[in-house]
Amino acid sequence: MRAGGDGGLPIKLDSTSNGEFAPVPLPEDARRANRLAAEQASVHARRLGLSRRAFLVSSCGAASTLLAMNQSFGQSGRRGGFYALPPQAALEPELAEAHLGGAEFIFDVQSHHVSPQRPWRHRSRFWGRTLAGFPFADCGLPDALDCFSAEQFVKEIFLDSDTDLAVLSFVPEPDQDAAPLTIEEAAATRALVAGLEDGHRLLLHGPVHPGFPGELERMAELSERWKISAWKTYTQYGPEGRGYWLDDEERGLPFVERARALGVKVICVHKGFPLPGMRPEHSDCRDVGRVARLFPDVQFIIYHSGFETGTRERAYDPTAQRRGIDSLVRSLQENQVEPGSNVYAELGSTWRFLMRDPDQAAHALGKLLRSVGEDHVLWGTDSIWYGSPQDQIQAFRSFQISEELRERHGYPEITPGIRAKVFGLNATRPYGIAPEEVRRRLAGDPIDTARSLYAEAPDPSFATYGPRTRREFLSLLRLSGGSRI
């Protein structure tokens, strides 16, 4: 599977945001990488006797783009990480496919879409205007919000990428009339992509917003009626912009204890990426280690791994200010939570942002693999906000931490075994999935059949969705009132 389009590149480096953070302009070497990749795509296409479009959609197109990134980042002295590809992969399809094709079991534990045809688009001051203001309108459909639909979700996630399983998550919105996706609509999407007799390609979160009336009471219905697989919460989010800690007695502990009582003991919590209009302190991970020790039978999946765009990822320093991924590392160390515990670190939006900076990417991945353990880093992409996640998949398939940083900081080499764990095998433990049994049963299901037909004439978009500039982002906040994300 490939992701691509006539005017774009198969691996996307841009300033697009998922709406949770202001877009960060691309550094010059990332812009140069895009220019080099565009120039080289034309040259390589001519050498292979292909149209530019045909070349970009091929594995060689992706390899050529990643090699251009190596070239540009190397010129700037950013060599802490790199995309491990032989130069010949830009011109040899079999070689490119051998490095970027992959056969891993890919389980994306963070994905999104909305239901375009609902009253929320008129009732919700934030979501109705924000989503319509995303450059998603570029997808070509008459109604921009249709670009976020279940049908587009299936195409971007399951046809234009190698994703096998996904978890459909929710944005923070307790008012169901204003929510861009309800549990009923999420369940309908799950049915759309159903492929197992006793399960689905798509698992569901149950959104919980402790502090709002009726939220904890509603958890029983989410568990019993809708058969959710995990809970999703935002500790930054609450009434009057007041967040909470997972281990506070007012909101956090009652929530965790309710989850345990209902038997759904997987909690996915947004950490990092401070939400606009919300107090930023609750994006810190200081409560993660504490609550993990209190509830060793509960699995805590830390969305975004605490990453913040305003904090540059470097080697962990226990004496430095607690920010970004270091806040997660420090919380685990201070509470004697060892690697391989009940804490998992997720990469949604984090990896996509780090693709533009191989030095930060190397430190971020190296720290996570050491602190939570190579069996506890989980693959997530935050797509459909960014379109197809295939470029994220291909970039991770080839990324490597430099030998210098591995020797200096004790980071592991990213082996094929580690990649396979991160891509999907690790997530099977908290979600109780047997990957080989899943793959056996998925063979020949509706999505598998559609993939086979689609592969004969793929039509990926290379589209990227989300605000690309700070002006666009602030415009969305003004339209929405800036009161919630």
Side-chain angles (χ1 to χ4, degrees), residues 289-301:
R290 301 195 301 251
V291 76
R293 288 196 66 185
L294 286 172
F295 299 99
D297 61 329
V298 177
Q299 310 302 304
F300 295 94
I301 299 177

Side-chain angles (χ1 to χ4, degrees), residues 233-238 241-248 250-251 269-275 278-288 290 302-303 306 308 323 327:
T233 192
Y234 291 75
T235 56
Q236 303 172 29
Y237 183 66
R242 188 170 63 91
Y244 72 100
W245 299 111
L246 289 168
D247 63 339
D248 72 40
E250 179 185 1
R251 293 158 62 182
V269 54
H270 175 110
K271 288 290 187 180
F273 291 126
L275 302 180
M278 301 290 147
R279 297 174 184 173
E281 62 265 24
H282 292 99
S283 65
D284 189 281
C285 296
R286 68 187 66 183
D287 53 337
V288 172
R290 301 195 301 251
I302 311 307
Y303 269 24
E308 301 177 8
R323 296 299 297 269
S327 75

Side-chain angles (χ1 to χ4, degrees), residues 455-483:
E456 296 177 4
D459 187 26
S461 63
F462 280 169
T464 297
Y465 312 127
R468 294 184 176 92
T469 66
R470 183 172 179 82
R471 177 175 294 180
E472 285 179 351
F473 181 77
L474 294 177
S475 175
L476 298 182
L477 291 184
R478 285 193 295 272
L479 287 170
S480 66
S483 59

Side-chain angles (χ1 to χ4, degrees), residues 2-14 26 30-42 44 52-53 55-58 60-66 68-69 352 355 386 388 390-392 394 460-464:
R2 302 289 163 256
D6 291 330
L9 295 167
I11 310 295
K12 299 185 287 290
L13 294 183
D14 55 41
L26 281 179
R31 295 196 300 271
R32 181 174 62 217
N34 284 336
R35 293 193 299 269
L36 286 170
E39 294 167 1
Q40 291 172 8
S42 298
H44 293 152
R52 179 183 173 83
R53 165 70 172 177
F55 176 78
L56 289 173
V57 172
S58 72
C60 287
S64 176
T65 304
L66 291 167
M69 291 161 61
R352 189 182 190 280
M355 285 163 54
Y386 299 115
S388 170
Q390 185 68 3
D391 63 332
Q392 297 184 55
Q394 291 174 317
S461 63
F462 280 169
T464 297

Side-chain angles (χ1 to χ4, degrees), residues 14 16 49 87-88 95 136 151 263 271 292 296 315 322 361 391 461:
D14 55 41
T16 302
Q88 304 94 314
L95 186 60
F136 213 29
E151 291 75 17
K271 288 290 187 180
R322 178 205 308 262
D391 63 332
S461 63

Side-chain angles (χ1 to χ4, degrees), residues 86-162:
Q88 304 94 314
L91 294 167
E92 298 181 17
E94 291 184 359
L95 186 60
E97 187 66 19
H99 282 81
L100 299 178
E104 308 92 348
F105 172 71
I106 297 183
F107 184 5
D108 189 334
V109 300
Q110 185 178 185
S111 66
H112 297 271
H113 81 78
V114 307
S115 179
Q117 304 305 321
R118 286 193 64 245
W120 67 266
R121 60 188 298 172
H122 307 295
R123 292 174 58 92
S124 172
R125 190 179 181 194
F126 183 88
W127 292 113
R129 294 175 185 261
T130 295
L131 293 172
F134 272 29
F136 213 29
D138 294 341
C139 83
L141 297 178
D143 186 339
L145 294 189
D146 285 338
C147 297
F148 295 94
S149 69
E151 291 75 17
Q152 286 294 113
F153 172 85
V154 170
K155 179 182 184 295
E156 301 279 359
I157 300 291
F158 293 113
L159 299 187
D160 281 330
S161 92
D162 294 333

